[in-house]
Amino acid sequence: MRGELLAARALLSSEDARRAASVLAERALDLPELAGARTVAAYVSVGREPGTRVLLDALRSRGVRVLLPVLMADNDLDWAVYEGAGHLVRAGRGLLEPGGTRLGPGAVLAAEVVLLPGLAVDGRGVRLGRGGGSYDRVLERLVRGGAGPALLVLLYGNEVVARVPEEPHDHPVQAVVTPEGVRRFGR
């Protein structure tokens, strides 16, 4: 399933991906979860991932503290504050990361919203990630820390599917934002 979804993304033109990123940002910014958030944990999209950069800049311009992940050697995530596109640095696996002070893996506990990367989500709100386990650790850390942020994912419309494989450690998201609209899931 991951291979098929990545292949479909690879067929998108740069212009289609750019247009989708603008629409995704508009739709996401209208969400009540983001409207009142003071701290949001997000990520920098790369390649043909549903674009986050317009959203990151819009949140930052609203005065939201945006935390971005820094991939550690063990695939866990550290966090640093987003200070604008000019402060992103190239990292392993083709990622872009903030170049500022590392806040530690527990910094995500302060987020009221966590924007998760994904390849698909199903009708139950179960998210299919890339399979590296980094965000599974983040979600487990949130549970252990007693945090209850809104969990959101940005996807293309064709990535909302009937069913994805589910593992015991999976945590459902509250909503998926696509260029076509927002779909909410019960918790």
Side-chain angles (χ1 to χ4, degrees):
M1 181 177 251
R2 285 185 176 104
E4 290 173 12
L5 292 163
L6 289 169
R9 281 185 180 178
L11 296 175
L12 286 171
S13 71
S14 295
E15 184 56 32
D16 287 341
R18 204 170 15 261
R19 274 196 303 268
S22 292
V23 175
L24 285 167
E26 283 179 37
R27 293 198 189 290
L29 289 167
D30 284 342
L31 294 172
E33 293 91 341
L34 287 175
R38 294 180 306 277
T39 300
V40 172
Y43 62 96
V44 181
S45 57
V46 294
R48 293 292 189 263
E49 277 186 305
T52 62
R53 295 181 197 200
V54 174
L55 178 58
L56 297 177
D57 288 333
L59 289 169
R60 187 169 175 265
S61 72
R62 284 184 174 180
V64 175
R65 181 176 180 239
V66 179
L67 302 178
L68 294 179
V70 177
L71 186 64
M72 299 189 300
D74 66 355
N75 276 349
D76 203 350
L77 298 177
D78 198 338
W79 299 88
V81 174
Y82 177 56
E83 297 176 355
H87 296 273
L88 295 174
V89 296
R90 295 231 170 262
R93 300 185 187 173
L95 300 174
L96 288 171
E97 299 175 340
T101 304
R102 304 298 182 251
L103 305 174
V108 72
L109 295 171
E112 295 139 307
V113 176
V114 177
L115 184 62
L116 302 163
L119 293 174
V121 69
D122 70 18
R124 304 166 297 158
V126 176
R127 178 188 67 95
L128 178 67
R130 287 191 176 252
S134 298
Y135 279 88
D136 293 328
R137 293 180 193 190
V138 169
L139 294 169
E140 184 56 36
R141 183 170 290 117
L142 292 168
V143 170
R144 280 194 327 266
L151 304 176
L152 309 175
V153 62
L154 302 180
L155 295 174
Y156 298 113
N158 66 299
E159 297 171 341
V160 179
V161 299
R163 194 144 182 113
V164 300
E166 183 178 9
E167 300 288 334
H169 58 264
D170 286 337
H171 299 271
V173 298
Q174 278 77 52
V176 59
V177 181
T178 69
E180 295 77 20
V182 174
R183 182 166 176 192
R184 295 191 170 276
F185 307 100
R187 189 159 206 183

